[in-house]
Amino acid sequence: MNRWPQRLYYFSFVAVLFTTLFSWFNVNSICIMLLVLSRLLYRPQASVKAAFSDPVFLTFLFFCLVEATGYLHTHNYTDQGKNVVKEATLVAIAFAFCSSEAVDRRTWLKYLLWYHLLVALACLFCLAMALREYLQTGDPSVFFYHSLTRPISQNAVFFSVYVVFSLVCLLSPNSAPVRLLPQRWRLVRALLVVFFLGMIVLLNSK
């Protein structure tokens, strides 16, 4: 991959993660378009051919086309348009991943480290907002369930899935980023595991 599209893909990927976790959906759409653009800038014909040869991409495309047929019998074009846009977003994400070559272990671990850090950042932001509200109201319920994730407009159940996925990856073998020393990674991983376990308790407590 040429260096400029590679950098665009990398930063767009991180931006998609960030805007997804913090529910910045307007900016998220722009980041997803940049993610697709970075793929089209790199060998466009090969990328399109790879995507249309992948059953995952074709499945998402099929469901988007099925959703689009709703225009034939709906009277509420606004709501129908929102549904189609949601499906189209999934198609764009599928294209961005299905049109790319296989990711090597080094790159995968770099993306995964960003994921861990962004999930931790979102959790810390929620805790900070909950602490501020607690100091103002004295209500301890702000640290639990939907109240905890309200500052980032996330459903507590859905957000807990992000945290659980991070936990699973942290506990898997050979998950250490290449540039971190083993001793440092063991400490970082232990802190993140304990922190995320605590978040799971808060997210699933009413």
Side-chain angles (χ1 to χ4, degrees), residues 21-206:
L21 290 170
F22 283 84
S23 301
W24 294 359
F25 295 120
N26 291 332
V27 181
N28 182 259
S29 299
I30 297 173
C31 295
I32 292 173
M33 288 189 287
L34 289 175
L35 199 63
V36 173
L37 177 63
S38 67
R39 297 307 310 157
L40 293 175
L41 289 174
Y42 170 68
R43 299 172 59 190
Q45 293 182 348
S47 297
V48 172
K49 183 178 179 180
F52 277 87
S53 300
D54 194 301
V56 174
F57 172 75
L58 293 176
T59 301
F60 279 106
L61 180 61
F62 172 76
F63 279 112
C64 183
L65 294 175
V66 170
E67 188 68 48
T69 61
Y71 280 114
L72 300 176
H73 55 79
T74 185
H75 297 289
N76 191 334
Y77 291 103
T78 300
D79 288 344
Q80 180 63 29
K82 291 179 180 179
N83 292 332
V84 173
V85 167
K86 290 179 182 179
E87 296 293 341
T89 300
L90 295 176
V91 173
I93 295 174
F95 177 85
F97 288 99
C98 296
S99 63
S100 62
E101 65 275 5
V103 177
D104 57 67
R105 179 175 178 272
R106 182 187 184 93
T107 303
W108 163 248
L109 291 176
K110 182 164 51 175
Y111 288 152
L112 198 57
L113 179 61
W114 270 109
Y115 179 78
H116 296 322
L117 294 177
L118 290 174
V119 172
L121 177 63
C123 292
L124 288 171
F125 179 78
C126 289
L127 289 172
M129 293 298 100
L131 177 61
R132 186 180 70 172
E133 188 172 352
Y134 173 74
L135 293 176
Q136 294 174 348
T137 64
D139 181 10
S141 67
V142 297
F143 289 100
F144 302 98
Y145 206 45
H146 294 310
S147 298
L148 181 60
T149 56
R150 188 184 301 125
I152 57 174
S153 302
Q154 285 279 6
N155 181 290
V157 178
F158 291 159
F159 187 75
S160 65
V161 175
Y162 297 138
V163 180
V164 169
F165 179 77
S166 191
L167 271 173
V168 171
C169 294
L170 285 168
L171 295 174
S172 63
N174 301 319
S175 62
V178 177
R179 294 185 178 182
L180 282 183
L181 296 175
Q183 298 87 344
R184 291 183 180 179
W185 174 242
R186 281 196 292 267
L187 176 60
V188 171
R189 182 169 65 173
L191 292 174
L192 286 175
V193 167
V194 172
F195 178 62
F196 287 148
L197 285 174
M199 285 300 302
I200 290 296
V201 173
L202 295 178
L203 289 168
N204 291 276
S205 301
K206 296 184 180 180

Side-chain angles (χ1 to χ4, degrees), residues 12-24:
S12 298
F13 180 85
V14 175
V16 167
L17 287 178
F18 180 85
T19 52
T20 299
L21 290 170
F22 283 84
S23 301
W24 294 359

